[in-house]
Amino acid sequence: MPPERRRRVRQDRKTQVRPDRRAGAQWGGPPRKAASSCQQKSLAWPRAAPAAISVEAEEENRLRLRNRLMLEEDKPAAERCLEELVFGDVEDDEDALLRRLRVPLVQVQEDSDDSEVEKEAKDNFLPQKKPVWLDEEDEDEEMVDMMNNRFRKDMMKNASENQLSKDELQKRLKEEFQHAMGGVPAWAEANKWKTPSDDESEEEEDDLLQRTGNFISTSTSLPKGILKMKNCQHANAERPTTARISSVQFHPRAQVVMVAGLDNAVSLFQVDGKTNPKIQSIYLEKFPIFKACFSANGEEVLATSTHSKILYVYDMLAGKLIPVHQVRGLKEKIVRSFEISPDGSFLLINGVAGYLHLLSMKTKELIGSMKINGRIAASTFSSDSKKVYASSGDGEVYVWDVNSRKCLNRFVDEGSLYGLSIATSRNGQYVACGSNCGVVNIYNQDSCLQETNPKPIKAIMNLVTGVTSLTFNPTTEILAIASANMKEAVRLVHLPSFTVFSNFPVVKKKNISLIHTMDFSPRSGYFALGNEKGKALMYRLHHYSDF
């Protein structure tokens, strides 16, 4: 090739320029006008890096667009239509979709005034959209069936309330809750909550940060589920017997427990949970003890027999045993079951033929008698000693006024054929009735006084034989229930959840046997049971720190 032609070819190659992608030129389009060689040399070095970045971005966008088109071809037409309705037509611009989904954040500077902040917030936040459609059935008042649910059925006041609205059902549930709790709890009252001022809250926070220590304290209320307890030495370990234990009771003021049984003896033991040393034993000849009980002040012990009309009174201060052979006006041939009022003023003797005899605790003289229909199964005083609750053999419960000795109310214990036991709580809130079928109905005391057909708050059905013993603990957090007709038939019920503690009794050990009597210590630290094998079992309840 001639030299002149070779120089011309090289000059044409230098002047040839590729299409500029930054300017939006398409592939295969007309090339841009080539610049002179001197201009290219002068502009090449500062634009080299931006040009490379722009080429990479264009290549990435091209690949992304190609992948999207391939995906769109595989999608059904219905799916593509739904995406357009939800996200809009954003095929050409993904940034538009990101801008629509991005939540604007409003940053407020300290020196900006309120009007600027409000204006900025209005400009940045998107307007709220109206709902696409409304369901007319949502606005209609839905009715709830009351007949096909046994829990709702109990809340019906009359037969016409087959259906209730949701608002009415909510009101009825609130009434049932307040009825069960004896009123509105303190935590549920809105006016009890006080909002402290900013200065007070800042002072409390400063004081909190300046102190160290354990700021988490244990709850004072007894938790449900598991009852932390320990098996202690038997209360009567220092005086063993094989005769049935008929009574076990803790002294109201001293750390002493009394154990009495069919072996004609009343024994007192010091409670330490380890050896429980014996203090004293009183032997009553030919007098198998049916029941023994401390007086309210703890200065006397009263005891009755299974086949005698004599009432023994043991004066603990003087150390004298006083037999009461005859009570003037009392014609009972056998005196067995009795109750002492919590204030220590009255002695109530359950007679035959439905008679309840009220005696003066001080003089042991008859004050008056009350009569119910049928046989008296059990009786007890209210916590204020002003009322007497009596359960009859016909399944009815009678409420008597102590002062006037008039019947205040009478109702049928729900589901009971005949009653076996009855107990009232120390705080005056609950009445528990045990029946022959193993059901324990727990009532509110106010409903027992005011309603002719009160409904139980809860029916405890954990026993299958007749409930012969019922005992509330002093704090009204535990209800002990037991049956003397089946071994290991004893349960501890948590209040106010009305659930049974799952860890008592321990069925595998089977050391409880048939329970005839139960009692809690004055501050619920100990729990004692007496069985037919002559053992007074005792447990330490760890939740309560005192005796």
Side-chain angles (χ1 to χ4, degrees):
M1 181 182 291
E4 295 180 358
R5 186 177 179 180
R6 189 180 298 120
R7 284 195 299 268
R8 193 181 304 113
V9 170
R10 283 199 295 266
Q11 185 68 23
D12 293 340
R13 290 179 180 175
K14 290 181 179 180
T15 57
Q16 186 177 358
V17 180
R18 294 181 178 180
D20 191 359
R21 297 178 185 175
R22 291 174 298 168
Q26 301 295 329
W27 290 94
R32 294 180 59 185
K33 185 178 180 180
S36 63
S37 60
C38 60
Q39 290 176 347
Q40 281 185 340
K41 291 180 181 178
S42 61
L43 299 176
W45 68 269
R47 294 183 180 179
I53 295 173
S54 177
V55 170
E56 293 177 357
E58 287 291 338
E59 184 69 18
E60 183 179 355
N61 291 336
R62 187 180 66 81
L63 294 175
R64 188 186 303 171
L65 179 60
R66 186 183 66 181
N67 293 335
R68 187 195 307 156
L69 293 175
M70 293 175 63
L71 293 175
E72 289 292 335
E73 292 177 357
D74 296 337
K75 289 183 181 180
E79 185 176 351
R80 291 198 300 270
C81 181
L82 181 61
E83 287 184 355
E84 290 182 4
L85 289 175
V86 176
F87 301 108
D89 189 6
V90 291
E91 291 184 357
D92 298 333
D93 191 2
E94 289 185 352
D95 295 336
L97 175 61
L98 295 177
R99 284 195 300 271
R100 290 178 59 185
L101 298 178
R102 186 181 298 115
V103 179
L105 299 176
V106 180
Q107 298 180 351
V108 181
Q109 301 295 335
E110 295 181 355
D111 56 349
S112 63
D113 56 300
D114 295 340
S115 61
E116 293 179 356
V117 173
E118 294 177 358
K119 183 178 180 180
E120 186 178 357
K122 292 179 180 179
D123 294 337
N124 290 337
F125 282 96
L126 294 174
Q128 296 183 355
K129 295 183 177 181
K130 296 182 179 180
V132 179
W133 59 279
L134 296 175
D135 191 352
E136 297 179 356
E137 294 182 357
D138 291 342
E139 299 178 358
D140 297 337
E141 192 173 15
E142 185 177 351
M143 304 302 291
V144 180
D145 188 12
M146 303 292 290
M147 292 295 296
N148 295 330
N149 188 297
R150 65 186 185 94
F151 298 105
R152 296 173 188 165
K153 191 175 181 180
D154 294 338
M155 291 186 290
M156 295 174 55
K157 294 184 178 180
N158 51 62
S160 61
E161 293 182 340
N162 295 333
Q163 290 184 341
L164 287 179
S165 63
K166 286 187 175 181
D167 295 337
E168 290 294 332
L169 180 59
Q170 185 177 8
K171 292 180 181 178
R172 194 67 55 84
L173 290 172
K174 288 182 179 179
E175 293 176 0
E176 290 290 330
F177 175 76
Q178 295 177 6
H179 182 69
M181 299 299 295
V184 181
W187 55 264
E189 295 182 2
N191 56 0
K192 292 283 181 96
W193 297 94
K194 296 182 180 179
T195 304
S197 61
D198 295 338
D199 297 336
E200 293 177 355
S201 60
E202 290 177 0
E203 292 178 0
E204 292 177 357
E205 292 177 359
D206 295 339
D207 183 61
L208 180 65
L209 296 175
Q210 291 176 2
R211 292 184 288 115
T212 60
N214 185 14
F215 292 95
I216 302 177
S217 60
T218 57
S219 175
T220 57
S221 60
L222 178 67
K224 64 179 182 179
I226 302 295
L227 181 61
K228 295 181 180 180
M229 58 195 310
K230 181 183 70 173
N231 191 2
C232 301
Q233 178 68 276
H234 298 164
N236 62 339
E238 290 199 357
R239 190 190 179 278
T241 180
T242 57
R244 187 183 77 188
I245 303 298
S246 57
S247 295
V248 58
Q249 186 185 12
F250 291 95
H251 194 277
R253 296 182 181 178
Q255 199 160 331
V256 176
V257 63
M258 176 191 65
V259 179
L262 300 183
D263 58 350
N264 306 338
V266 178
S267 302
L268 303 177
F269 302 90
Q270 182 74 32
V271 178
D272 61 4
K274 299 178 181 179
T275 60
N276 304 320
K278 186 182 75 171
I279 300 175
Q280 186 181 9
S281 291
I282 304 115
Y283 182 78
L284 304 175
E285 188 175 358
K286 296 181 181 180
F287 198 84
I289 297 173
F290 179 83
K291 182 175 182 178
C293 184
F294 284 111
S295 61
N297 55 13
E299 296 178 359
E300 295 178 341
V301 176
L302 281 71
T304 58
S305 177
T306 58
H307 59 269
S308 176
K309 66 177 181 180
I310 299 176
L311 172 68
Y312 275 104
V313 179
Y314 177 70
D315 191 342
M316 299 179 62
L317 300 179
K320 294 181 179 180
L321 186 63
I322 305 170
V324 180
H325 294 279
Q326 184 66 38
V327 176
R328 183 179 299 177
L330 188 63
K331 299 180 180 180
E332 299 291 339
K333 294 182 179 180
I334 298 177
V335 177
R336 299 175 66 184
S337 181
F338 67 93
E339 299 292 333
I340 298 175
S341 63
D343 62 359
S345 301
F346 304 104
L347 174 65
L348 185 68
I349 296 178
N350 297 343
V352 296
Y355 279 97
L356 292 164
H357 305 289
L358 189 66
L359 280 70
S360 171
M361 187 63 188
K362 185 176 181 180
T363 62
K364 308 300 186 292
E365 293 181 352
L366 181 65
I367 299 175
S369 299
M370 297 164 281
K371 177 74 167 61
I372 69 172
N373 296 333
R375 178 183 59 85
I376 297 177
S379 64
T380 186
F381 282 93
S382 61
S383 58
D384 57 3
S385 303
K386 295 182 179 180
K387 302 174 191 66
V388 171
Y389 292 83
S391 178
S392 72
D394 299 332
E396 292 184 322
V397 178
Y398 293 78
V399 185
W400 295 83
D401 180 71
V402 173
N403 294 328
S404 63
R405 293 178 296 282
K406 293 182 178 180
C407 185
L408 301 178
N409 197 10
R410 168 188 172 188
F411 62 91
V412 177
D413 184 19
E414 189 174 87
S416 173
L417 296 179
Y418 60 88
L420 291 178
S421 55
I422 191 169
T424 57
S425 60
R426 302 281 182 92
N427 64 352
Q429 185 176 0
Y430 301 117
V431 177
C433 301
S435 64
N436 64 308
C437 56
V439 178
V440 178
N441 288 326
I442 303 177
Y443 297 89
N444 187 286
Q445 284 198 27
D446 293 336
S447 63
C448 293
L449 295 173
Q450 301 171 1
E451 300 179 14
T452 57
N453 188 23
K455 297 292 182 181
I457 304 170
K458 181 68 176 180
I460 308 298
M461 301 183 182
N462 293 82
L463 300 180
V464 295
T465 55
V467 183
T468 55
S469 299
L470 292 172
T471 304
F472 285 94
N473 81 317
T475 60
T476 317
E477 293 177 307
I478 303 175
L479 170 63
I481 63 176
S483 174
N485 303 321
M486 178 178 287
K487 292 183 178 181
E488 314 299 316
V490 57
R491 300 291 185 270
L492 297 179
V493 182
H494 175 266
L495 302 175
S497 68
F498 305 106
T499 57
V500 174
F501 290 103
S502 59
N503 62 320
F504 184 84
V506 181
V507 181
K508 294 182 179 180
K509 294 184 177 181
K510 294 185 178 180
N511 58 348
I512 293 180
S513 193
L514 301 178
I515 298 300
H516 292 269
T517 178
M518 303 180 296
D519 191 35
F520 290 92
S521 60
R523 291 180 178 84
S524 303
Y526 287 88
F527 175 56
L529 309 96
N531 62 16
E532 93 287 357
K533 294 182 179 180
K535 295 180 180 180
L537 309 176
M538 193 162 62
Y539 298 87
R540 177 71 174 90
L541 307 185
H542 294 296
H543 178 79
Y544 304 99
S545 58
D546 298 332
F547 172 76

